[in-house]
Amino acid sequence: MTSTVLGNRTSWEPLRLTHLKPSFNSTDLALASRQDVWHKFIVFDAGKYDKEEVLIAIILACDPEVLLPVMYKVENNNKGTFLTKCTSGVIENLVKQNLSVKLKTGHILKIDIVLGFLGMQDLHLNPHNSITQTLHYKYESVKKILNLDDFQNEKSLGSIYCPISVPRVLLFVLRCAKVGILGNIRETRLPIRELSLRWNGLEGISLFEKFFNYHLTKLDLRHNQITDINSLRYFSEFKITELWLDGNPLCTKYTSPEDYIRGVRNVFRHLQKLDGIVIGVQRKLVPIMQSNYLGDSSRFGLIKQFVRHFFTLYDQDDRIVMKGLYDKNAFYSMTLGSGANYNHKQIAKVFSSNRNLLKFVDYAKCHEFLLQGPEQIISMMRKQPPTTHHLRTFHVDLLNYGESHIAIAVQGVFHFKDFIPPLMTFNRTFILIAKVDNEYNIINDQYHIDMAPPNVTGLDNNSAKLESREAPKISLTVLSPSEKNQLLGFLHELTTMNTAYCQQFLENARWDIRVAINTFMKAYTVNDIPPEAFK
């Protein structure tokens, strides 16, 4: 490495460590040890695998050192690249492993590292400071709540990849939390009452430092990958009175609710509330209830995606955007509760399709109001007044599922945009059937609405709503294989180019057929398409 001083800036020659001949000499060490440079990692064949799979494998390979990738991207030749500022120990660990990283699937990824690729003045980003500042804003000082839900996708981190499912990264983040929350105060433990760690892929929490004070009483670990309650013994010294474990594999290991409670209490001896249910009190003929029931949670991702997608579209001013959700043979019916007050009567005038048998005079209409087919269904929905659904009031039950169908019931609170609220409650039962390419359509939709009880108030300002979301735009980058083949056939028929060139045009256009056709026309006009394309 050569180093010269230009004004106040020290320049250097970047050095490349290659997997073809892994080595790490004193010159490499000197550049790897500098704290004012960024190193570039080049991961070969990374494009064949998920981003998380690749980056977590690399982070784990650096243990016990911590590496935080920045600005990860996959180039056209399937090479993945990212930048990082790390210790020389990280580089040395990887060189000792011959710059090779093993994925969970057993596949091996080869890595090259360009030491000193950029200087700090070329990329003004400090991951440590960014994480510390993010943690400062994620802490509610009045309620003493630290919310680290889905932390690796936290928007304020930008391009910094920080998966706290990796124990060393979690340790690093909690150390940053001390700086972000405590500042310069000489405290040794975080003043936290509630800690939320949902959606982080955690398999357990094993820490060897005392991070939290003894006021920690609520712990939310929903939707992680925890398989054994003993992997949470770190928290046994705290008086945790409320614990959430829904959506973890360990929940399916117990044969009865009583066994589940007993197993959890072996670790959390002070527990009073588990998954939202009060425990430890005598129950007589009262079943254990949960706000959401999703079986073994294997369908949770699909159900969550469907519920948000459906009600986002339903809350649009024009429900024509729902076209495509219903199967060609789908049935739809709606009923309105039998209230008698003024507000209820005003709303009842709008719903001419009310199929409530208790209110029918002419029972022949019960068949008339059972709508079939997407045209009838969406036409009826477009006549109904626009709505605003309150997402945080939703409760979802998985009623039944198989290889080709899912039946779910969704209930919650909403109000009509054009009416002075009262708030309304709804219960909607969907049956979804599987189609080709892992898509689902609604085959049955039963919809019931009624006036909300008097005790349901104050949701308009405090509850998450769906009305602020625009109708999702379809991205052509996630087309199924059969849809891609259809586009290839269409472009081939239109242009007479062979399949290889048609695929090249579509891939460059991210499978947007309109962009591909425009690109072809421009290139064809200036004779910029080789004759081989038409062979």
Side-chain angles (χ1 to χ4, degrees):
M1 177 185 69
T2 59
S3 179
T4 58
V5 178
L6 301 176
N8 293 324
R9 175 185 168 185
T10 302
S11 63
W12 60 89
E13 291 286 339
L15 295 174
R16 182 160 181 155
L17 306 180
T18 174
H19 67 280
L20 299 174
K21 190 178 179 181
S23 63
F24 195 58
N25 56 36
S26 58
T27 304
D28 302 330
L29 176 62
L31 185 52
S33 301
R34 292 182 59 149
Q35 296 300 304
D36 60 342
V37 297
W38 290 90
H39 308 307
K40 180 178 180 179
F41 279 53
I42 304 169
V43 189
F44 296 93
D45 292 328
K48 298 178 181 178
Y49 309 99
D50 291 337
K51 168 186 173 181
E52 289 75 15
E53 184 180 9
V54 171
L55 295 184
I56 286 181
I58 295 173
I59 293 170
L60 289 172
C62 299
D63 194 70
E65 303 288 338
V66 176
L67 176 142
L68 296 179
V70 173
M71 299 173 63
Y72 177 81
K73 66 178 180 179
V74 176
E75 300 175 355
N76 291 334
N77 52 5
N78 269 336
K79 288 191 302 186
T81 63
F82 63 85
L83 301 177
T84 188
K85 290 170 66 177
C86 58
T87 66
S88 59
V90 168
I91 310 295
E92 194 169 4
N93 279 350
L94 292 173
V95 171
K96 287 179 180 177
Q97 298 172 59
N98 295 319
L99 293 177
S100 299
V101 172
K102 188 175 183 179
L103 302 178
K104 281 187 175 181
T105 57
H107 294 93
I108 303 295
L109 294 179
K110 299 293 185 179
I111 300 173
D112 281 6
I113 303 175
V114 182
L115 299 176
F117 180 74
L118 288 176
M120 287 182 62
Q121 69 281 355
D122 299 312
L123 179 60
H124 297 285
L125 176 64
N126 189 319
H128 185 278
N129 289 348
S130 297
I131 293 171
T132 299
Q133 187 174 18
T134 295
L135 292 166
H136 174 76
Y137 290 117
K138 298 292 285 183
Y139 176 67
E140 295 184 40
S141 58
V142 176
K143 297 181 179 179
K144 292 184 169 38
I145 300 173
L146 179 60
N147 186 334
L148 301 182
D149 293 349
D150 196 15
F151 191 72
Q152 71 186 39
N153 293 316
E154 174 61 40
K155 291 183 179 179
S156 60
L157 294 179
S159 64
I160 304 169
Y161 185 67
C162 188
I164 59 177
S165 59
V166 179
R168 288 285 176 181
V169 177
L170 176 59
L171 183 67
F172 173 79
V173 167
L174 291 176
R175 287 172 177 169
C176 290
K178 284 187 175 182
V179 179
I181 295 173
L182 298 175
N184 296 322
I185 301 176
R186 292 183 173 274
E187 294 283 344
T188 58
R189 301 196 182 193
L190 294 167
I192 294 172
R193 289 199 184 102
E194 299 182 18
L195 176 63
S196 186
L197 291 163
R198 296 181 295 178
W199 299 103
N200 282 302
L202 294 165
E203 296 179 0
I205 297 178
S206 298
L207 301 171
F208 302 100
E209 294 183 23
K210 304 294 185 181
F211 283 104
F212 310 104
N213 62 20
Y214 291 103
H215 297 298
L216 180 64
T217 57
K218 181 178 177 180
L219 183 61
D220 194 340
L221 294 167
R222 280 177 280 185
H223 307 299
N224 282 289
Q225 297 299 319
I226 300 167
T227 58
D228 188 349
I229 193 65
N230 289 305
S231 65
L232 302 176
R233 284 199 175 273
Y234 173 82
F235 295 101
S236 61
E237 67 173 285
F238 301 98
K239 291 185 177 180
I240 304 293
T241 57
E242 184 173 351
L243 176 67
W244 293 83
L245 292 171
D246 273 350
N248 283 282
L250 74 85
C251 297
T252 64
K253 292 175 60 177
Y254 300 92
T255 56
S256 69
E258 291 74 19
D259 289 343
Y260 174 45
I261 294 172
R262 195 178 303 113
V264 173
R265 268 197 154 174
N266 285 336
V267 176
F268 296 89
R269 295 177 291 110
H270 305 281
L271 203 60
Q272 299 174 10
K273 198 173 185 180
L274 177 59
D275 296 334
I277 308 300
V278 176
I279 62 174
V281 296
Q282 187 178 8
R283 296 178 179 273
K284 294 184 178 179
L285 304 176
V286 179
I288 292 178
M289 302 183 65
Q290 8 183 153
S291 57
N292 295 284
Y293 175 73
L294 299 173
D296 60 3
S297 296
S298 61
R299 299 293 194 281
F300 182 82
L302 172 62
I303 294 171
K304 178 185 177 185
Q305 180 184 5
F306 167 75
V307 169
R308 178 172 283 279
H309 185 67
F310 179 89
F311 287 99
T312 297
L313 296 182
Y314 192 83
D315 281 352
Q316 302 304 310
D317 290 335
D318 188 349
R319 297 191 176 103
I320 190 66
V321 294
M322 302 183 71
K323 193 172 184 180
L325 289 183
Y326 288 86
D327 183 79
K328 64 179 181 179
N329 297 314
F331 283 98
Y332 165 85
S333 63
M334 72 81 53
T335 55
L336 179 64
S338 53
N341 61 35
Y342 173 79
N343 288 323
H344 187 279
K345 291 178 180 178
Q346 291 299 107
I347 293 171
K349 293 178 182 178
V350 181
F351 289 93
S352 59
S353 60
N354 178 16
R355 199 166 177 264
N356 191 334
L357 300 181
L358 298 177
K359 291 295 182 180
F360 268 142
V361 177
D362 181 3
Y363 280 92
K365 287 188 176 182
C366 68
H367 297 288
E368 178 185 341
F369 294 159
L370 180 61
L371 306 182
Q372 184 175 18
E375 289 77 15
Q376 288 188 19
I377 295 171
I378 294 174
S379 176
M380 178 59 69
M381 288 182 177
R382 294 181 73 188
K383 296 176 183 177
Q384 298 171 2
T387 53
T388 295
H389 284 80
H390 300 265
L391 181 63
R392 290 178 186 165
T393 67
F394 282 19
H395 299 288
V396 183
D397 286 332
L398 176 59
L399 305 177
N400 191 278
Y401 69 90
E403 292 184 1
S404 60
H405 77 279
I406 297 177
I408 59 173
V410 185
Q411 57 183 340
V413 174
F414 74 99
H415 70 262
F416 294 108
K417 294 179 183 179
D418 298 336
F419 288 81
I420 298 174
L423 293 169
M424 305 289 294
T425 61
F426 76 93
N427 189 303
R428 207 152 190 160
T429 302
F430 299 98
I431 298 179
L432 312 178
I433 56 172
K435 297 290 192 177
V436 296
D437 301 321
N438 201 30
E439 295 180 354
Y440 282 80
N441 280 135
I442 302 169
I443 191 67
N444 197 300
D445 178 4
Q446 291 179 288
Y447 183 34
H448 178 78
I449 62 175
D450 207 342
M451 306 295 296
N455 60 331
V456 180
T457 57
L459 291 171
D460 295 87
N461 297 323
N462 300 325
S463 181
K465 304 173 185 177
L466 293 170
E467 82 277 13
S468 60
R469 287 176 168 264
E470 296 181 355
K473 296 180 175 60
I474 297 174
S475 173
L476 296 178
T477 59
V478 292
L479 293 172
S480 65
S482 63
E483 290 169 326
K484 288 183 178 180
N485 285 333
Q486 290 176 6
L487 290 179
L488 281 170
F490 178 76
L491 189 61
H492 168 68
E493 185 177 345
L494 184 68
T495 64
T496 70
M497 289 192 300
N498 58 46
T499 303
Y501 272 84
C502 286
Q503 182 163 344
Q504 182 178 333
F505 270 80
L506 283 166
E507 286 178 347
N508 291 339
R510 296 182 179 272
W511 293 93
D512 189 327
I513 187 66
R514 289 167 296 184
V515 174
I517 293 172
N518 287 334
T519 304
F520 169 80
M521 294 300 296
K522 291 178 182 178
Y524 189 80
T525 303
V526 297
N527 199 25
D528 195 27
I529 300 179
E532 293 80 9
F534 301 96
K535 291 182 181 179

